[in-house]
Amino acid sequence: DTEVTQTPKHLVMGMTNKKSLKCEQHMGHRAMYWYKQKAKKPPELMFVYSYEKLSINESVPSRFSPECPNSSLLNLHLHALQPEDSALYLCASSQISRNGEQFFGPGTRLTVL
Amino acid sequence: GQQVMQIPQYQHVQEGEDFTTYCNSSTTLSNIQWYKQRPGGHPVFLIQLVKSGEVKKQKRLTFQFGEAKKNSSLHITATQTTDVGTYFCAGSSTGFQKLVFGTGTRLLVSP
């Protein structure tokens, strides 16, 4: 299984809502990532988890809260988002090695009203 | 911070023509990866280059890593309509997990 799955595919939320994005992989990868991608822009790294511990936080606002409950799952909890947070949120995973090919999920398209 | 620029931003070619995208980093890279993202899709890994001056080929695609490990290129010979998409280089200089994506080159191929 070389697939990263993400749910939901689409999400519309108000600025006062709390929601969560979910990501799952069964490739045995011990590094997992969250990226944000705006239209016609490259993916921007948000968070990296290595061995289920947060290893990189790219100065992301606290309204985004990542969680890695186990080696296969990655969540992104959302609270009090702004309209400018509307984007495609991509999850990725990779081995912990220098051959760090990242496998991306299909993404969650988030709209904040 | 590290910046990775790609040129051109966009290229429209006729099927059968060649295509090249260039990637330049503001810092020396430990490795560079290339990804392709189809319209409405997600990035898909193409290749990784690690050594200075490295050249790798995948069928019609040729990838190069510069001698100074600050630039890279992707050349597609005889483009096909299936090559349509945005090509991103992505490099790391401070740790292999911290990839910085280039600005991307969007390729359109007309039959």
Side-chain angles (χ1 to χ4, degrees):
Chain A
D1 184 1
T2 59
E3 189 181 38
V4 176
T5 58
Q6 289 188 243
T7 56
K9 286 188 178 180
H10 301 275
L11 179 62
V12 179
M13 59 186 291
M15 290 190 285
T16 58
N17 292 160
K18 284 186 180 180
K19 297 286 184 182
S20 296
L21 309 185
K22 296 185 184 301
C23 173
E24 188 168 5
Q25 58 88 16
H26 294 287
M27 293 178 277
H29 292 165
R30 303 303 296 275
M32 295 187 76
Y33 311 77
W34 281 115
Y35 288 87
K36 173 182 177 181
Q37 187 176 28
K38 303 278 270 184
K40 299 191 188 302
K41 296 292 186 183
E44 293 180 8
L45 183 65
M46 300 174 72
F47 303 104
V48 181
Y49 273 82
S50 300
Y51 298 109
E52 296 86 69
K53 293 192 187 307
L54 184 64
S55 57
I56 297 175
N57 176 345
E58 289 289 274
S59 303
V60 179
S62 60
R63 58 185 183 269
F64 295 90
S65 176
E67 179 196 20
C68 191
N70 60 55
S71 60
S72 300
L73 294 174
L74 186 66
N75 298 323
L76 186 63
H77 304 296
L78 314 172
H79 173 56
L81 294 193
Q82 304 296 310
E84 59 265 28
D85 296 321
S86 298
L88 181 68
Y89 287 85
L90 293 161
C91 172
S93 70
S94 76
Q95 295 179 359
I96 302 275
S97 76
R98 290 207 167 271
N99 295 323
E101 169 186 353
Q102 294 191 13
F103 291 78
F104 282 82
T108 293
R109 189 160 298 281
L110 174 67
T111 302
V112 182
L113 301 176
Chain B
Q2 180 188 355
Q3 292 186 336
V4 183
M5 305 296 291
Q6 284 182 251
I7 55 169
Q9 272 189 297
Y10 170 79
Q11 188 153 9
H12 185 179
V13 301
Q14 292 295 121
E15 191 172 23
E17 292 181 338
D18 293 356
F19 160 77
T20 305
T21 173
Y22 299 92
C23 171
N24 290 285
S25 171
S26 59
T27 59
T28 302
L29 302 171
S30 56
N31 67 71
I32 193 146
Q33 299 179 5
W34 284 90
Y35 290 81
K36 176 183 178 181
Q37 187 171 21
R38 293 181 187 273
H42 58 275
V44 175
F45 176 84
L46 295 176
I47 209 159
Q48 176 171 272
L49 304 170
V50 178
K51 298 177 183 175
S52 169
E54 190 171 11
V55 178
K56 286 189 175 180
K57 292 190 176 184
Q58 286 181 349
K59 297 183 180 178
R60 294 178 295 105
L61 278 61
T62 302
F63 304 84
Q64 292 188 332
F65 200 9
E67 293 290 341
K69 300 184 78 173
K70 294 184 73 173
N71 57 7
S72 182
S73 65
L74 159 59
H75 179 80
I76 302 178
T77 303
T79 54
Q80 300 175 357
T81 54
T82 53
D83 295 325
V84 165
T86 300
Y87 291 84
F88 291 104
C89 62
S92 60
S93 58
T94 58
F96 64 89
Q97 290 178 334
K98 189 172 176 178
L99 278 184
V100 175
F101 277 74
T103 48
T105 295
R106 184 174 158 219
L107 174 64
L108 183 62
V109 181
S110 294

